[in-house]
Amino acid sequence: QESAATVLVRPRSGRHRRYFGDAMKAKVQAGDVDEAVVDASVSRVLNAMDAVGLLDGVVEYGAIGDNVTSPAHAEVAKDIASNATVLLKNDGDVRGELSMLPLQSCDGLVIVGSTFETAGGGSGKVTSYAAPLSDALSAACGVDVPTFATLDDDDAKTAVAGAAAVVVLAGTTSSEGSDRDDLTLGDDDALVSAVAALSSNVVVSVSTPGAFLTPWSDDVQAILVTWMGGQELAYALADILLGVVSPAGRLPLTLPNIENEVGFTRDQYPGIEGDPVEGCDLPCLVANYTEGLYIGYRWYDANAVAPKYPFGHGLSYTSFAYADLVVDASSANVTVTNAGDVAGAEVAQLYLAPPAAAGEPPRQFKGFAKTAVLAPGASAVVTFAFDARSFAAWGDGGWAPVPGIYRVEVGASAGDVRVNGTVAV
């Protein structure tokens, strides 16, 4: 079965010698693997090559540094990056205005920091054409925006202290075979704190592959999360900062208050040394998933702990009202209205709290629906359709329905439920 399913193995991984090459030849000759299985696997590779013309003769390859991005590609990349950006915090600035973001202009703006991750790492090789944020803001505003990688010199400190607004570029990264040791932003945490000590008009933009800590969150006015935003991240972030686009991204995870807030033991992660397993490099660690379903927002709910920022959280430059929840056994419907003064899209989220007999976490995320961009005062009806899995629990190797009364919650995040009702199934 393994030989039938595996067509390609990465070179130099050790597995190609273990399963393919002379090892596979010996198995065919011994009759352990049918030659027809090998033929079928090779045919799948050749068919794929033929489909793109690689068997037609001499193929002229382009240089790895060639830019093959079209304007249409770039626009899609920018749209994805801007829609994925999460606004975690947006307090009033020192001038007494309602919110730090969006910026009214680039006048007096300073950028500090050099961590602007557009992609993670791995086995692939992709040449990046990402522009710096200063270029995108200068293009949008028609003025040069001063940029400093650090606060090591007096010019940088003076510029920050006198700035109308400061954008700090902070973050972290990871790659294949190189996991992060912790949830800090390394030296960038100290950089954010140093900038915040000089200015009361600070926006922090964090590029990260996952969760992170924000020990400086009370000292800054706004926080954006761009993830690994791709080659058009600079222009997408400029649109967000200047209010061309209202943020609509939401956290796909929970941001904790402290490191290992859920209390993982070494037995759970990274695991303890166990019996050797083929293909597992020594020491072979065995992780035990004894936490069950109690991870992320489920752990926080079950333990009545308020996270730093909850699952599904994300602010907008406008506000939304939820009303008229209608629930039956087939669906939940709610009306979402743009109650602010700026056009924007909302991401409504559905959570179900099962009866105690289910033996499940207190509630579970069951779906989300993003509205179109709504003009101020406009409304949209959001529908969440239920299916058999909505009211079921896993046990004895399969899903089984759990009858009873379920609480239905719809809101803007796991920590911001706006309307609720019940349904009996």
Side-chain angles (χ1 to χ4, degrees), residues 272-295:
I272 56 177
E273 191 168 343
D275 295 333
V277 177
E278 184 179 6
C280 180
D281 296 331
L282 296 177
C284 190
L285 300 180
V286 177
N288 294 284
Y289 293 89
T290 51
E291 71 275 11
L293 296 177
Y294 293 90
I295 189 66

Side-chain angles (χ1 to χ4, degrees), residues 17 77 113:
R17 291 188 296 272

Side-chain angles (χ1 to χ4, degrees), residues 118-289:
T118 58
S123 303
K125 173 62 178 177
V126 177
T127 300
S128 173
Y129 291 95
L133 178 61
S134 57
D135 284 4
L137 288 171
S138 295
C141 297
V143 297
D144 291 335
V145 178
T147 302
F148 301 91
T150 69
L151 284 181
D152 290 344
D153 60 69
D154 291 338
D155 288 344
K157 293 175 183 177
T158 300
V160 167
V166 183
V167 175
V168 183
L169 301 179
T172 185
T173 189
S174 63
S175 74
E176 179 184 10
S178 180
D179 292 335
R180 297 155 61 196
D181 293 328
D182 52 45
L183 298 183
T184 73
L185 300 183
D187 293 341
D188 284 350
D189 283 327
L191 177 63
V192 173
S193 294
V195 170
L198 295 172
S199 174
S200 297
N201 301 310
V202 180
V203 179
V204 181
S205 176
V206 182
S207 53
T208 175
F212 60 98
L213 300 177
T214 57
W216 33 258
S217 62
D218 292 340
D219 302 323
V220 302
Q221 286 61 56
I223 306 172
L224 290 161
V225 186
T226 62
W227 313 108
M228 301 298 188
Q231 68 182 43
E232 294 298 315
L233 176 58
Y235 295 95
L237 182 55
D239 281 352
I240 293 287
L241 290 170
L242 297 172
V244 177
V245 175
S246 179
R250 299 295 182 264
L251 286 179
L253 42 76
T254 303
L255 293 188
N257 299 286
I258 58 175
E259 196 81 44
N260 194 22
E261 190 162 36
V262 300
F264 270 148
T265 63
R266 183 171 179 80
D267 178 67
Q268 294 172 311
Y269 180 83
I272 56 177
E273 191 168 343
D275 295 333
V277 177
E278 184 179 6
C280 180
D281 296 331
L282 296 177
C284 190
L285 300 180
V286 177
N288 294 284
Y289 293 89

Side-chain angles (χ1 to χ4, degrees), residues 392-419:
W394 179 267
D396 297 327
W399 293 95
V402 179
I405 297 177
Y406 287 73
R407 188 171 74 253
V408 180
E409 301 177 346
V410 179
S413 77
D416 186 10
V417 173
R418 303 293 184 88
V419 291

Side-chain angles (χ1 to χ4, degrees), residues 72-166:
H73 292 155
E75 191 63 30
V76 169
K78 185 177 79 165
D79 185 58
I80 292 172
S82 61
N83 275 276
T85 297
V86 180
L87 178 61
L88 288 185
K89 177 180 179 178
N90 193 22
D91 287 351
D93 67 4
V94 74
R95 294 165 297 184
E97 297 182 5
L98 182 61
S99 298
M100 184 69 202
L101 293 176
L103 302 175
Q104 302 306 305
S105 72
C106 293
D107 294 340
L109 177 62
V110 172
I111 300 172
V112 178
S114 59
T115 307
F116 198 59
E117 302 290 347
T118 58
S123 303
K125 173 62 178 177
V126 177
T127 300
S128 173
Y129 291 95
L133 178 61
S134 57
D135 284 4
L137 288 171
S138 295
C141 297
V143 297
D144 291 335
V145 178
T147 302
F148 301 91
T150 69
L151 284 181
D152 290 344
D153 60 69
D154 291 338
D155 288 344
K157 293 175 183 177
T158 300
V160 167
V166 183

